[in-house]
Amino acid sequence: MARMENKKAIVIGAGVSGLSAAWELKKKGFEVTVLERRDAPGGVIRTFESGGFRAESGTNSVMVTSPRLLEFFEEIGLGAEVERSKPAAKKRFFVRGGKPRPVPSGPFSLLFTRLFSLFGKLRLLMEPFVGRSDPESEPSVEEFAERRLGKDVSDYAINPFMAGVYGGDPKRLSIKYAFAPFWNLEQKYGSIILGAIKSMKEKKASGDVFRPVMVSFKGGMGTLIKKLAGDLGDGLKTSARVISVDSTADGRWEVSWGTDGEDCCDAYDALAIAVPAPDIASLPLGGALSAALAPLSKIEYAPVATYSMGFRRADIAHRLDGFGALVPAREDFSILGSLFVSSIFEGRAPEGFATLTNYVGGMRRPELAPLPQDEMRKIVLGDLKRLLGVSGEPVFEKMFFWKHAIPQYNLGYGGIMEAADAAEAAFSSLALIGSYRGGVGVGSCVENALRAADALAAKNR
Ligand SMILES: Cc1cc2nc3c(=O)[nH]c(=O)nc-3n(C[C@H](O)[C@H](O)[C@H](O)COP(=O)(O)OP(=O)(O)OC[C@H]3O[C@@H](n4cnc5c(N)ncnc54)[C@H](O)[C@@H]3O)c2cc1C
C-alpha cells in the first residue's frame, strides 16, 4: 500500500462520518487534523448511562448490510465489542387502530395481519400487474407507494417506515433517493414483490449470502466514537473554530483554525468537509468553493427530539417483544415511534426494568421537537399510556433535541447531488461527506466516508 508520507489532511466535523474518514486517511499515512466545533466528538451519536440504564441520544444501532462494515469494526479493534441485536428484535410493530401490530414476515402472516384491511391486502396482490414508472419521472415516496402497493399499505407501512428512517414526509421524499431499493427493483423487474424474490434468488445463485445484521457495541454506540476519536490522539481538536479555508494555486488548502489553547494556519493536501449541509454555509470558505457548495444549503433537515425513559417492567402492559413500534401519520399520536431499547440489546436496563426511547418531531410535527422537557414529557407519557399501557412514572429519563437531525432526500435532491459531484471534480483534493450524501444510516455514513478517504488518498499518490 502506498503511504502518504509527509502529506497532511484536515477534516472538519467529528461525527461518525468525519471520524471514519480521518481514521482511513491516517491509515493511508496522512497526518490528520480533525476540527470539531463542539466540546466532544460524535455528532448525533452519544451514549449515556445512569443507575444501570443505558440509552442513546440519537442513533440506536447500525444495520450492517455488507461485510465491509464488519471488516472495518475488526480493523479498528472493535471486533470483539460488536453486539448483535437479540433475535426477538427482528419483530417490528407498526401502529393501527391505536395498537402496535406486528409487521407481517411472510405470506401466512400477511393473510392474517390486522395491520392492513382486507381490501388493502387484495390490492397489494395486484402489485406485479402495475406498470413500470417512467424512468425519467421522479415520483414522491407516497405517490410511488400508493400507485404500486395501494393506499392502505402506503399509509400503514411505508408512511411509518419513512418516519422511522428520515422523520420524513413521504409526500416530499423522492423514491429515487430516499427509498432507492424499491425504485431499482421496480425499474429492473417491473415489480417490487417479484423483483425482491428474483433478486434474492440471483444473489444466492451468485454466492452472495451476506445477511444484514443489526448491531451496536458493548457500552453502546458511544464505544465506536470513543475508539475512533481516541485513535486520533491530539489530532482531534474539540471546541475548534474554523477561521478560513482557501484553495491554493497548486490544488492544496490553506486552513486557519483555533481552539482555546491553540491557533494554527497550515497547508493541507486533502480536505474533507463532514458537517451537516446547513452548517456548510456558515463555514468561512473561499469564494469559489463557497459558490460551488451553495446548492447544498437547499437540503432540508428534520428536527427530532429523543426522549428516553426507564420504567419498572411491571408498569408497562405491552410485552415489548420486538424492536419497537412506529406510528403512521393517520394515527392519533404525537410521537413518531418508540424503540424497545432493552429488548434489542443486553444491558440497557437493570433486571426488572425496561428502557424505551421515543422520537418526536420530524417533518410530520416539526413544531414539537424543540418543546421544553416538561411539555415533551407530558406528550410522550400520554402517548405511551395509550400505546403500550404504561401506568407508572419513569424512574430514569433523558431528553435530547437535534435541530438538524436528519437530511431529507426530497424531490429535486438529484440536482443538489450533481452540484456536490461537480464541486469535488473542480477541487480534486476535496471530499464532501455526511449523512446528506449516499444514505442517512450510520452504515452508509461510514462506508461512504471510507470510500471518500480512499479517493483522496488515490488523488494524492
Ligand atoms: C435522532 C436520530 C436517530 C438516529 N437513529 C439511527 C439509527 O438507529 N441507526 C442509524 O443507522 N442511523 C441513525 N440515525 C442517523 C445517523 O446517526 C446519522 O446520519 C449519522 O450519525 C450522521 O453522522 P455525520 O457525521 O454525517 O453527522 P453528525 O453526526 O451531524 O456530525 C457532524 C459534526 O460536525 C460538527 N460541526 C458542524 N459544524 C461545524 C463547524 N463549523 N466546525 C467544526 N465542526 C462542525 C458537528 O458538531 C458534528 O459533531 C439517527 C439520527 C438521529 C438524529
Side-chain angles (χ1 to χ4, degrees), residues 12-17 35-38 42-45 58-61 274-276 279 283 304 306 359 402 405-406 434-435 440-442 445:
I12 305 177
V16 74
S17 300
L35 305 178
E36 167 55 47
R37 181 171 61 183
R38 293 202 193 112
V44 299
I45 300 180
T59 313
N60 174 72
S61 49
V275 304
D279 291 316
L283 284 172
V304 174
T306 62
Y359 297 83
W402 301 109
I406 306 181
S435 57
V440 299
V442 168
C445 290

PDB file of all heavy atoms in Angstrom, residues 12-17 35-38 42-45 58-61 274-276 279 283 304 306 359 402 405-406 434-435 440-442 445, ligand 1:
ATOM      1  N   ILE A  12     -13.156  18.551   8.701  1.00  0.00           N
ATOM      2  CA  ILE A  12     -13.976  19.468   9.506  1.00  0.00           C
ATOM      3  C   ILE A  12     -15.260  18.750   9.892  1.00  0.00           C
ATOM      4  O   ILE A  12     -16.055  18.362   9.032  1.00  0.00           O
ATOM      5  CB  ILE A  12     -14.289  20.766   8.726  1.00  0.00           C
ATOM      6  CG1 ILE A  12     -12.991  21.418   8.251  1.00  0.00           C
ATOM      7  CG2 ILE A  12     -15.091  21.733   9.600  1.00  0.00           C
ATOM      8  CD1 ILE A  12     -13.185  22.674   7.414  1.00  0.00           C
ATOM      9  N   GLY A  13     -15.444  18.522  11.182  1.00  0.00           N
ATOM     10  CA  GLY A  13     -16.628  17.806  11.694  1.00  0.00           C
ATOM     11  C   GLY A  13     -16.231  16.433  12.205  1.00  0.00           C
ATOM     12  O   GLY A  13     -15.658  15.642  11.467  1.00  0.00           O
ATOM     13  N   ALA A  14     -16.517  16.162  13.486  1.00  0.00           N
ATOM     14  CA  ALA A  14     -16.133  14.878  14.088  1.00  0.00           C
ATOM     15  C   ALA A  14     -17.354  14.058  14.466  1.00  0.00           C
ATOM     16  O   ALA A  14     -17.436  13.502  15.564  1.00  0.00           O
ATOM     17  CB  ALA A  14     -15.230  15.101  15.297  1.00  0.00           C
ATOM     18  N   GLY A  15     -18.352  13.997  13.555  1.00  0.00           N
ATOM     19  CA  GLY A  15     -19.410  12.998  13.692  1.00  0.00           C
ATOM     20  C   GLY A  15     -18.827  11.677  13.199  1.00  0.00           C
ATOM     21  O   GLY A  15     -17.626  11.591  12.878  1.00  0.00           O
ATOM     22  N   VAL A  16     -19.683  10.669  13.080  1.00  0.00           N
ATOM     23  CA  VAL A  16     -19.157   9.363  12.673  1.00  0.00           C
ATOM     24  C   VAL A  16     -18.570   9.423  11.256  1.00  0.00           C
ATOM     25  O   VAL A  16     -17.602   8.715  10.948  1.00  0.00           O
ATOM     26  CB  VAL A  16     -20.247   8.265  12.824  1.00  0.00           C
ATOM     27  CG1 VAL A  16     -21.315   8.356  11.734  1.00  0.00           C
ATOM     28  CG2 VAL A  16     -19.618   6.887  12.830  1.00  0.00           C
ATOM     29  N   SER A  17     -19.116  10.303  10.388  1.00  0.00           N
ATOM     30  CA  SER A  17     -18.585  10.418   9.023  1.00  0.00           C
ATOM     31  C   SER A  17     -17.165  10.969   9.051  1.00  0.00           C
ATOM     32  O   SER A  17     -16.246  10.393   8.455  1.00  0.00           O
ATOM     33  CB  SER A  17     -19.458  11.346   8.168  1.00  0.00           C
ATOM     34  OG  SER A  17     -20.767  10.858   8.085  1.00  0.00           O
ATOM     35  N   LEU A  35     -11.201  18.951  13.074  1.00  0.00           N
ATOM     36  CA  LEU A  35     -11.721  20.108  13.814  1.00  0.00           C
ATOM     37  C   LEU A  35     -13.187  19.873  14.163  1.00  0.00           C
ATOM     38  O   LEU A  35     -14.003  19.641  13.274  1.00  0.00           O
ATOM     39  CB  LEU A  35     -11.620  21.373  12.955  1.00  0.00           C
ATOM     40  CG  LEU A  35     -10.239  21.724  12.398  1.00  0.00           C
ATOM     41  CD1 LEU A  35     -10.337  22.980  11.535  1.00  0.00           C
ATOM     42  CD2 LEU A  35      -9.235  21.920  13.535  1.00  0.00           C
ATOM     43  N   GLU A  36     -13.511  19.899  15.426  1.00  0.00           N
ATOM     44  CA  GLU A  36     -14.904  19.716  15.864  1.00  0.00           C
ATOM     45  C   GLU A  36     -15.338  20.946  16.649  1.00  0.00           C
ATOM     46  O   GLU A  36     -14.686  21.345  17.599  1.00  0.00           O
ATOM     47  CB  GLU A  36     -15.035  18.448  16.720  1.00  0.00           C
ATOM     48  CG  GLU A  36     -16.345  18.302  17.475  1.00  0.00           C
ATOM     49  CD  GLU A  36     -17.598  18.392  16.600  1.00  0.00           C
ATOM     50  OE1 GLU A  36     -17.626  17.733  15.555  1.00  0.00           O
ATOM     51  OE2 GLU A  36     -18.540  19.145  16.965  1.00  0.00           O
ATOM     52  N   ARG A  37     -16.488  21.495  16.244  1.00  0.00           N
ATOM     53  CA  ARG A  37     -16.978  22.722  16.872  1.00  0.00           C
ATOM     54  C   ARG A  37     -17.393  22.503  18.337  1.00  0.00           C
ATOM     55  O   ARG A  37     -17.168  23.346  19.192  1.00  0.00           O
ATOM     56  CB  ARG A  37     -18.172  23.224  16.056  1.00  0.00           C
ATOM     57  CG  ARG A  37     -18.782  24.499  16.549  1.00  0.00           C
ATOM     58  CD  ARG A  37     -19.801  25.017  15.572  1.00  0.00           C
ATOM     59  NE  ARG A  37     -20.902  24.090  15.376  1.00  0.00           N
ATOM     60  CZ  ARG A  37     -21.892  24.300  14.513  1.00  0.00           C
ATOM     61  NH1 ARG A  37     -21.893  25.383  13.761  1.00  0.00           N
ATOM     62  NH2 ARG A  37     -22.868  23.440  14.391  1.00  0.00           N
ATOM     63  N   ARG A  38     -18.007  21.352  18.604  1.00  0.00           N
ATOM     64  CA  ARG A  38     -18.472  21.095  19.974  1.00  0.00           C
ATOM     65  C   ARG A  38     -17.309  20.661  20.870  1.00  0.00           C
ATOM     66  O   ARG A  38     -16.211  20.406  20.398  1.00  0.00           O
ATOM     67  CB  ARG A  38     -19.528  19.993  19.970  1.00  0.00           C
ATOM     68  CG  ARG A  38     -20.794  20.402  19.280  1.00  0.00           C
ATOM     69  CD  ARG A  38     -21.962  19.547  19.763  1.00  0.00           C
ATOM     70  NE  ARG A  38     -23.102  19.747  18.878  1.00  0.00           N
ATOM     71  CZ  ARG A  38     -23.577  18.815  18.064  1.00  0.00           C
ATOM     72  NH1 ARG A  38     -23.043  17.617  18.047  1.00  0.00           N
ATOM     73  NH2 ARG A  38     -24.602  19.072  17.295  1.00  0.00           N
ATOM     74  N   GLY A  42     -18.525  12.984  17.953  1.00  0.00           N
ATOM     75  CA  GLY A  42     -19.634  12.019  17.883  1.00  0.00           C
ATOM     76  C   GLY A  42     -20.868  12.542  17.170  1.00  0.00           C
ATOM     77  O   GLY A  42     -21.723  11.759  16.772  1.00  0.00           O
ATOM     78  N   GLY A  43     -21.004  13.880  17.042  1.00  0.00           N
ATOM     79  CA  GLY A  43     -22.203  14.430  16.389  1.00  0.00           C
ATOM     80  C   GLY A  43     -23.457  13.930  17.091  1.00  0.00           C
ATOM     81  O   GLY A  43     -23.577  14.058  18.320  1.00  0.00           O
ATOM     82  N   VAL A  44     -24.362  13.311  16.323  1.00  0.00           N
ATOM     83  CA  VAL A  44     -25.646  12.883  16.912  1.00  0.00           C
ATOM     84  C   VAL A  44     -25.521  11.551  17.656  1.00  0.00           C
ATOM     85  O   VAL A  44     -26.521  11.027  18.139  1.00  0.00           O
ATOM     86  CB  VAL A  44     -26.770  12.800  15.848  1.00  0.00           C
ATOM     87  CG1 VAL A  44     -27.015  14.141  15.198  1.00  0.00           C
ATOM     88  CG2 VAL A  44     -26.463  11.741  14.788  1.00  0.00           C
ATOM     89  N   ILE A  45     -24.313  11.018  17.747  1.00  0.00           N
ATOM     90  CA  ILE A  45     -24.129   9.748  18.475  1.00  0.00           C
ATOM     91  C   ILE A  45     -23.529  10.027  19.855  1.00  0.00           C
ATOM     92  O   ILE A  45     -22.434  10.586  19.964  1.00  0.00           O
ATOM     93  CB  ILE A  45     -23.202   8.786  17.699  1.00  0.00           C
ATOM     94  CG1 ILE A  45     -23.810   8.473  16.327  1.00  0.00           C
ATOM     95  CG2 ILE A  45     -22.963   7.504  18.504  1.00  0.00           C
ATOM     96  CD1 ILE A  45     -22.985   7.539  15.473  1.00  0.00           C
ATOM     97  N   GLY A  58     -29.334   9.620  20.139  1.00  0.00           N
ATOM     98  CA  GLY A  58     -29.960   9.609  18.812  1.00  0.00           C
ATOM     99  C   GLY A  58     -29.911   8.212  18.243  1.00  0.00           C
ATOM    100  O   GLY A  58     -30.834   7.423  18.377  1.00  0.00           O
ATOM    101  N   THR A  59     -28.735   7.901  17.677  1.00  0.00           N
ATOM    102  CA  THR A  59     -28.559   6.652  16.934  1.00  0.00           C
ATOM    103  C   THR A  59     -28.563   5.444  17.852  1.00  0.00           C
ATOM    104  O   THR A  59     -27.688   5.308  18.709  1.00  0.00           O
ATOM    105  CB  THR A  59     -27.215   6.731  16.208  1.00  0.00           C
ATOM    106  OG1 THR A  59     -27.155   8.000  15.579  1.00  0.00           O
ATOM    107  CG2 THR A  59     -27.062   5.628  15.209  1.00  0.00           C
ATOM    108  N   ASN A  60     -29.498   4.528  17.626  1.00  0.00           N
ATOM    109  CA  ASN A  60     -29.618   3.373  18.496  1.00  0.00           C
ATOM    110  C   ASN A  60     -28.726   2.211  18.065  1.00  0.00           C
ATOM    111  O   ASN A  60     -28.187   1.490  18.892  1.00  0.00           O
ATOM    112  CB  ASN A  60     -31.084   2.937  18.490  1.00  0.00           C
ATOM    113  CG  ASN A  60     -31.291   1.654  19.238  1.00  0.00           C
ATOM    114  OD1 ASN A  60     -31.210   1.634  20.458  1.00  0.00           O
ATOM    115  ND2 ASN A  60     -31.515   0.562  18.519  1.00  0.00           N
ATOM    116  N   SER A  61     -28.591   2.032  16.746  1.00  0.00           N
ATOM    117  CA  SER A  61     -27.901   0.834  16.269  1.00  0.00           C
ATOM    118  C   SER A  61     -27.459   1.035  14.818  1.00  0.00           C
ATOM    119  O   SER A  61     -27.807   2.030  14.189  1.00  0.00           O
ATOM    120  CB  SER A  61     -28.848  -0.362  16.346  1.00  0.00           C
ATOM    121  OG  SER A  61     -30.084  -0.031  15.751  1.00  0.00           O
ATOM    122  N   ALA A 274     -17.100  17.437   6.683  1.00  0.00           N
ATOM    123  CA  ALA A 274     -18.000  16.399   7.208  1.00  0.00           C
ATOM    124  C   ALA A 274     -19.004  16.994   8.185  1.00  0.00           C
ATOM    125  O   ALA A 274     -19.313  16.401   9.213  1.00  0.00           O
ATOM    126  CB  ALA A 274     -17.172  15.300   7.871  1.00  0.00           C
ATOM    127  N   VAL A 275     -19.510  18.190   7.836  1.00  0.00           N
ATOM    128  CA  VAL A 275     -20.514  18.838   8.705  1.00  0.00           C
ATOM    129  C   VAL A 275     -21.874  18.731   8.016  1.00  0.00           C
ATOM    130  O   VAL A 275     -21.945  18.549   6.805  1.00  0.00           O
ATOM    131  CB  VAL A 275     -20.151  20.327   8.979  1.00  0.00           C
ATOM    132  CG1 VAL A 275     -18.760  20.442   9.566  1.00  0.00           C
ATOM    133  CG2 VAL A 275     -20.263  21.178   7.722  1.00  0.00           C
ATOM    134  N   PRO A 276     -22.986  18.810   8.785  1.00  0.00           N
ATOM    135  CA  PRO A 276     -24.300  18.776   8.138  1.00  0.00           C
ATOM    136  C   PRO A 276     -24.427  19.894   7.099  1.00  0.00           C
ATOM    137  O   PRO A 276     -23.841  20.980   7.266  1.00  0.00           O
ATOM    138  CB  PRO A 276     -25.260  19.010   9.316  1.00  0.00           C
ATOM    139  CG  PRO A 276     -24.491  18.550  10.523  1.00  0.00           C
ATOM    140  CD  PRO A 276     -23.062  18.897  10.243  1.00  0.00           C
ATOM    141  N   ASP A 279     -24.685  23.583   7.926  1.00  0.00           N
ATOM    142  CA  ASP A 279     -23.512  24.191   8.563  1.00  0.00           C
ATOM    143  C   ASP A 279     -22.435  24.566   7.552  1.00  0.00           C
ATOM    144  O   ASP A 279     -21.515  25.334   7.871  1.00  0.00           O
ATOM    145  CB  ASP A 279     -22.917  23.240   9.608  1.00  0.00           C
ATOM    146  CG  ASP A 279     -23.842  23.081  10.807  1.00  0.00           C
ATOM    147  OD1 ASP A 279     -24.368  24.105  11.272  1.00  0.00           O
ATOM    148  OD2 ASP A 279     -24.065  21.946  11.245  1.00  0.00           O
ATOM    149  N   LEU A 283     -19.495  28.035   7.136  1.00  0.00           N
ATOM    150  CA  LEU A 283     -18.035  27.884   7.171  1.00  0.00           C
ATOM    151  C   LEU A 283     -17.391  29.015   6.369  1.00  0.00           C
ATOM    152  O   LEU A 283     -17.911  29.389   5.308  1.00  0.00           O
ATOM    153  CB  LEU A 283     -17.621  26.534   6.557  1.00  0.00           C
ATOM    154  CG  LEU A 283     -17.837  25.273   7.392  1.00  0.00           C
ATOM    155  CD1 LEU A 283     -17.551  24.027   6.551  1.00  0.00           C
ATOM    156  CD2 LEU A 283     -16.967  25.278   8.639  1.00  0.00           C
ATOM    157  N   VAL A 304     -35.535  16.595  15.309  1.00  0.00           N
ATOM    158  CA  VAL A 304     -36.057  15.435  16.059  1.00  0.00           C
ATOM    159  C   VAL A 304     -35.614  15.551  17.516  1.00  0.00           C
ATOM    160  O   VAL A 304     -34.471  15.923  17.794  1.00  0.00           O
ATOM    161  CB  VAL A 304     -35.517  14.097  15.475  1.00  0.00           C
ATOM    162  CG1 VAL A 304     -35.948  12.911  16.338  1.00  0.00           C
ATOM    163  CG2 VAL A 304     -35.990  13.888  14.028  1.00  0.00           C
ATOM    164  N   THR A 306     -35.293  13.179  21.032  1.00  0.00           N
ATOM    165  CA  THR A 306     -35.397  11.820  21.564  1.00  0.00           C
ATOM    166  C   THR A 306     -35.623  11.936  23.065  1.00  0.00           C
ATOM    167  O   THR A 306     -34.996  12.775  23.726  1.00  0.00           O
ATOM    168  CB  THR A 306     -34.120  10.992  21.324  1.00  0.00           C
ATOM    169  OG1 THR A 306     -33.032  11.598  22.006  1.00  0.00           O
ATOM    170  CG2 THR A 306     -33.788  10.893  19.844  1.00  0.00           C
ATOM    171  N   TYR A 359     -39.316   9.026  19.873  1.00  0.00           N
ATOM    172  CA  TYR A 359     -38.899  10.033  18.892  1.00  0.00           C
ATOM    173  C   TYR A 359     -40.059  10.995  18.634  1.00  0.00           C
ATOM    174  O   TYR A 359     -41.196  10.552  18.411  1.00  0.00           O
ATOM    175  CB  TYR A 359     -38.466   9.346  17.590  1.00  0.00           C
ATOM    176  CG  TYR A 359     -37.263   8.448  17.811  1.00  0.00           C
ATOM    177  CD1 TYR A 359     -37.403   7.156  18.300  1.00  0.00           C
ATOM    178  CD2 TYR A 359     -35.980   8.927  17.582  1.00  0.00           C
ATOM    179  CE1 TYR A 359     -36.299   6.350  18.545  1.00  0.00           C
ATOM    180  CE2 TYR A 359     -34.869   8.131  17.815  1.00  0.00           C
ATOM    181  CZ  TYR A 359     -35.038   6.839  18.303  1.00  0.00           C
ATOM    182  OH  TYR A 359     -33.939   6.055  18.552  1.00  0.00           O
ATOM    183  N   TRP A 402     -32.305  17.580  18.510  1.00  0.00           N
ATOM    184  CA  TRP A 402     -31.394  17.766  17.375  1.00  0.00           C
ATOM    185  C   TRP A 402     -32.089  18.644  16.336  1.00  0.00           C
ATOM    186  O   TRP A 402     -33.074  18.218  15.737  1.00  0.00           O
ATOM    187  CB  TRP A 402     -31.037  16.415  16.737  1.00  0.00           C
ATOM    188  CG  TRP A 402     -30.384  15.462  17.699  1.00  0.00           C
ATOM    189  CD1 TRP A 402     -30.931  14.331  18.215  1.00  0.00           C
ATOM    190  CD2 TRP A 402     -29.069  15.566  18.261  1.00  0.00           C
ATOM    191  NE1 TRP A 402     -30.045  13.709  19.062  1.00  0.00           N
ATOM    192  CE2 TRP A 402     -28.888  14.454  19.105  1.00  0.00           C
ATOM    193  CE3 TRP A 402     -28.034  16.484  18.138  1.00  0.00           C
ATOM    194  CZ2 TRP A 402     -27.711  14.232  19.816  1.00  0.00           C
ATOM    195  CZ3 TRP A 402     -26.864  16.268  18.860  1.00  0.00           C
ATOM    196  CH2 TRP A 402     -26.709  15.155  19.675  1.00  0.00           C
ATOM    197  N   ALA A 405     -31.369  17.125  12.557  1.00  0.00           N
ATOM    198  CA  ALA A 405     -31.216  15.700  12.868  1.00  0.00           C
ATOM    199  C   ALA A 405     -30.972  14.875  11.611  1.00  0.00           C
ATOM    200  O   ALA A 405     -29.954  14.203  11.492  1.00  0.00           O
ATOM    201  CB  ALA A 405     -32.442  15.183  13.609  1.00  0.00           C
ATOM    202  N   ILE A 406     -31.914  14.924  10.686  1.00  0.00           N
ATOM    203  CA  ILE A 406     -31.837  14.001   9.550  1.00  0.00           C
ATOM    204  C   ILE A 406     -32.112  14.748   8.243  1.00  0.00           C
ATOM    205  O   ILE A 406     -33.149  15.404   8.093  1.00  0.00           O
ATOM    206  CB  ILE A 406     -32.852  12.850   9.725  1.00  0.00           C
ATOM    207  CG1 ILE A 406     -32.624  12.182  11.090  1.00  0.00           C
ATOM    208  CG2 ILE A 406     -32.704  11.812   8.601  1.00  0.00           C
ATOM    209  CD1 ILE A 406     -33.521  11.040  11.402  1.00  0.00           C
ATOM    210  N   GLY A 434     -21.020  12.985   4.688  1.00  0.00           N
ATOM    211  CA  GLY A 434     -22.015  13.191   5.732  1.00  0.00           C
ATOM    212  C   GLY A 434     -23.315  12.529   5.338  1.00  0.00           C
ATOM    213  O   GLY A 434     -23.467  12.043   4.209  1.00  0.00           O
ATOM    214  N   SER A 435     -24.240  12.552   6.258  1.00  0.00           N
ATOM    215  CA  SER A 435     -25.483  11.801   6.062  1.00  0.00           C
ATOM    216  C   SER A 435     -26.362  12.389   4.957  1.00  0.00           C
ATOM    217  O   SER A 435     -27.339  11.771   4.564  1.00  0.00           O
ATOM    218  CB  SER A 435     -26.264  11.759   7.374  1.00  0.00           C
ATOM    219  OG  SER A 435     -26.511  13.071   7.818  1.00  0.00           O
ATOM    220  N   VAL A 440     -28.563   7.928   5.035  1.00  0.00           N
ATOM    221  CA  VAL A 440     -28.552   8.556   6.362  1.00  0.00           C
ATOM    222  C   VAL A 440     -28.122   7.595   7.476  1.00  0.00           C
ATOM    223  O   VAL A 440     -27.784   8.030   8.569  1.00  0.00           O
ATOM    224  CB  VAL A 440     -29.927   9.173   6.740  1.00  0.00           C
ATOM    225  CG1 VAL A 440     -30.320  10.263   5.772  1.00  0.00           C
ATOM    226  CG2 VAL A 440     -31.012   8.116   6.826  1.00  0.00           C
ATOM    227  N   GLY A 441     -28.160   6.300   7.224  1.00  0.00           N
ATOM    228  CA  GLY A 441     -27.802   5.334   8.268  1.00  0.00           C
ATOM    229  C   GLY A 441     -26.309   5.402   8.581  1.00  0.00           C
ATOM    230  O   GLY A 441     -25.496   5.800   7.730  1.00  0.00           O
ATOM    231  N   VAL A 442     -25.963   5.014   9.797  1.00  0.00           N
ATOM    232  CA  VAL A 442     -24.555   5.046  10.201  1.00  0.00           C
ATOM    233  C   VAL A 442     -23.703   4.176   9.270  1.00  0.00           C
ATOM    234  O   VAL A 442     -22.585   4.549   8.901  1.00  0.00           O
ATOM    235  CB  VAL A 442     -24.414   4.553  11.660  1.00  0.00           C
ATOM    236  CG1 VAL A 442     -22.967   4.298  12.018  1.00  0.00           C
ATOM    237  CG2 VAL A 442     -25.002   5.570  12.599  1.00  0.00           C
ATOM    238  N   CYS A 445     -22.987   6.102   6.221  1.00  0.00           N
ATOM    239  CA  CYS A 445     -22.071   7.216   6.531  1.00  0.00           C
ATOM    240  C   CYS A 445     -20.635   6.700   6.614  1.00  0.00           C
ATOM    241  O   CYS A 445     -19.711   7.310   6.055  1.00  0.00           O
ATOM    242  CB  CYS A 445     -22.446   7.880   7.864  1.00  0.00           C
ATOM    243  SG  CYS A 445     -23.982   8.806   7.812  1.00  0.00           S
TER     244      CYS A 445
HETATM  245  C1  LIG B   1     -32.395  11.003  16.498  1.00  0.00           C
HETATM  246  C2  LIG B   1     -31.621  10.221  15.498  1.00  0.00           C
HETATM  247  C3  LIG B   1     -31.704   8.834  15.499  1.00  0.00           C
HETATM  248  C4  LIG B   1     -30.980   8.084  14.562  1.00  0.00           C
HETATM  249  N1  LIG B   1     -31.030   6.721  14.624  1.00  0.00           N
HETATM  250  C5  LIG B   1     -30.248   5.995  13.794  1.00  0.00           C
HETATM  251  C6  LIG B   1     -30.149   4.586  13.953  1.00  0.00           C
HETATM  252  O1  LIG B   1     -30.723   3.991  14.858  1.00  0.00           O
HETATM  253  N2  LIG B   1     -29.382   3.898  13.063  1.00  0.00           N
HETATM  254  C7  LIG B   1     -28.685   4.529  12.059  1.00  0.00           C
HETATM  255  O2  LIG B   1     -28.001   3.869  11.277  1.00  0.00           O
HETATM  256  N3  LIG B   1     -28.742   5.873  11.919  1.00  0.00           N
HETATM  257  C8  LIG B   1     -29.489   6.611  12.764  1.00  0.00           C
HETATM  258  N4  LIG B   1     -29.508   7.971  12.655  1.00  0.00           N
HETATM  259  C9  LIG B   1     -28.739   8.607  11.570  1.00  0.00           C
HETATM  260  C10 LIG B   1     -27.224   8.653  11.840  1.00  0.00           C
HETATM  261  O3  LIG B   1     -26.973   8.595  13.188  1.00  0.00           O
HETATM  262  C11 LIG B   1     -26.633   9.926  11.300  1.00  0.00           C
HETATM  263  O4  LIG B   1     -26.995  10.069   9.943  1.00  0.00           O
HETATM  264  C12 LIG B   1     -25.107   9.956  11.404  1.00  0.00           C
HETATM  265  O5  LIG B   1     -24.677   9.686  12.709  1.00  0.00           O
HETATM  266  C13 LIG B   1     -24.630  11.317  10.926  1.00  0.00           C
HETATM  267  O6  LIG B   1     -23.256  11.419  11.109  1.00  0.00           O
HETATM  268  P1  LIG B   1     -22.456  12.618  10.464  1.00  0.00           P
HETATM  269  O7  LIG B   1     -21.047  12.504  10.931  1.00  0.00           O
HETATM  270  O8  LIG B   1     -22.673  12.629   8.997  1.00  0.00           O
HETATM  271  O9  LIG B   1     -23.138  13.943  11.031  1.00  0.00           O
HETATM  272  P2  LIG B   1     -23.243  14.492  12.505  1.00  0.00           P
HETATM  273  O10 LIG B   1     -23.411  13.409  13.486  1.00  0.00           O
HETATM  274  O11 LIG B   1     -24.279  15.567  12.469  1.00  0.00           O
HETATM  275  O12 LIG B   1     -21.815  15.142  12.767  1.00  0.00           O
HETATM  276  C14 LIG B   1     -21.420  16.357  12.194  1.00  0.00           C
HETATM  277  C15 LIG B   1     -20.398  17.012  13.130  1.00  0.00           C
HETATM  278  O13 LIG B   1     -19.949  18.232  12.533  1.00  0.00           O
HETATM  279  C16 LIG B   1     -19.789  19.183  13.567  1.00  0.00           C
HETATM  280  N5  LIG B   1     -19.791  20.555  13.004  1.00  0.00           N
HETATM  281  C17 LIG B   1     -20.837  21.248  12.483  1.00  0.00           C
HETATM  282  N6  LIG B   1     -20.418  22.468  12.081  1.00  0.00           N
HETATM  283  C18 LIG B   1     -19.090  22.537  12.353  1.00  0.00           C
HETATM  284  C19 LIG B   1     -18.098  23.544  12.171  1.00  0.00           C
HETATM  285  N7  LIG B   1     -18.398  24.729  11.642  1.00  0.00           N
HETATM  286  N8  LIG B   1     -16.830  23.269  12.553  1.00  0.00           N
HETATM  287  C20 LIG B   1     -16.499  22.073  13.095  1.00  0.00           C
HETATM  288  N9  LIG B   1     -17.417  21.085  13.320  1.00  0.00           N
HETATM  289  C21 LIG B   1     -18.689  21.314  12.934  1.00  0.00           C
HETATM  290  C22 LIG B   1     -20.972  18.915  14.478  1.00  0.00           C
HETATM  291  O14 LIG B   1     -20.767  19.496  15.751  1.00  0.00           O
HETATM  292  C23 LIG B   1     -20.994  17.394  14.491  1.00  0.00           C
HETATM  293  O15 LIG B   1     -20.189  16.865  15.513  1.00  0.00           O
HETATM  294  C24 LIG B   1     -30.194   8.747  13.590  1.00  0.00           C
HETATM  295  C25 LIG B   1     -30.109  10.133  13.580  1.00  0.00           C
HETATM  296  C26 LIG B   1     -30.794  10.865  14.545  1.00  0.00           C
HETATM  297  C27 LIG B   1     -30.642  12.354  14.563  1.00  0.00           C
END
